[in-house]
Amino acid sequence: MANFNKVNVPADARTELHDKLSLTGAEISINNLPAGACVPFVHAHKQNEEIYAILSGKGKAVIDTETVALTAGDWLRISPAAKRQFFAAEDTGISFVCIQVKEHSLESYTKEDAVV
């Protein structure tokens, strides 16, 4: 197990995987908001962009002053400086993954980074 880490994540309100997986290039969190709930703060970042994957349910994000409807299967990238807040719909919860990485840090990907 020297070259990988595995963890099973319970369906808590929020689970951060940085320490659990010994991540070195990203922060990943799993978030579950019940119907009618929201992330209790508006935030932006200094240098990290965020990528959100909506796993189930529906809701919305308010980004700067724009409201973006969200539903299962949606993916969303938000620039560091954008102010954001997430809300579950009134009638259903929402579950999403947030991946946080330094903006413009990706130098190669997929087959360009593979070694065979």
Side-chain angles (χ1 to χ4, degrees):
M1 224 167 108
N3 287 327
F4 70 94
N5 295 324
K6 179 185 177 205
V7 65
N8 187 284
V9 178
D12 292 336
R14 179 175 170 85
T15 302
E16 294 180 353
L17 297 178
H18 181 266
D19 293 336
K20 293 180 183 305
L21 289 174
S22 301
L23 299 176
T24 64
E27 170 61 290
I28 302 172
S29 64
I30 293 129
N31 304 269
N32 298 291
L33 295 174
C38 68
V39 173
F41 54 86
V42 176
H43 76 286
H45 287 277
K46 295 175 185 173
Q47 60 182 0
N48 293 340
E49 65 187 7
E50 289 182 322
I51 302 98
Y52 292 87
I54 310 306
L55 303 176
S56 64
K58 62 182 179 177
K60 67 181 180 181
V62 177
I63 305 166
D64 292 327
T65 58
E66 187 172 342
T67 299
V68 179
L70 299 171
T71 189
D74 286 347
W75 285 81
L76 177 66
R77 178 208 169 263
I78 303 177
S79 297
K83 293 179 180 172
R84 67 214 69 178
Q85 187 176 19
F86 286 78
F87 300 80
E90 290 298 320
D91 61 343
T92 186
I94 189 169
S95 296
F96 57 92
V97 172
C98 176
I99 304 164
Q100 190 179 127
V101 295
K102 185 176 180 183
E103 188 176 42
H104 304 297
S105 64
L106 188 64
E107 295 178 5
S108 62
Y109 58 96
T110 316
K111 67 181 180 182
E112 288 82 22
D113 190 54
V115 178
V116 270

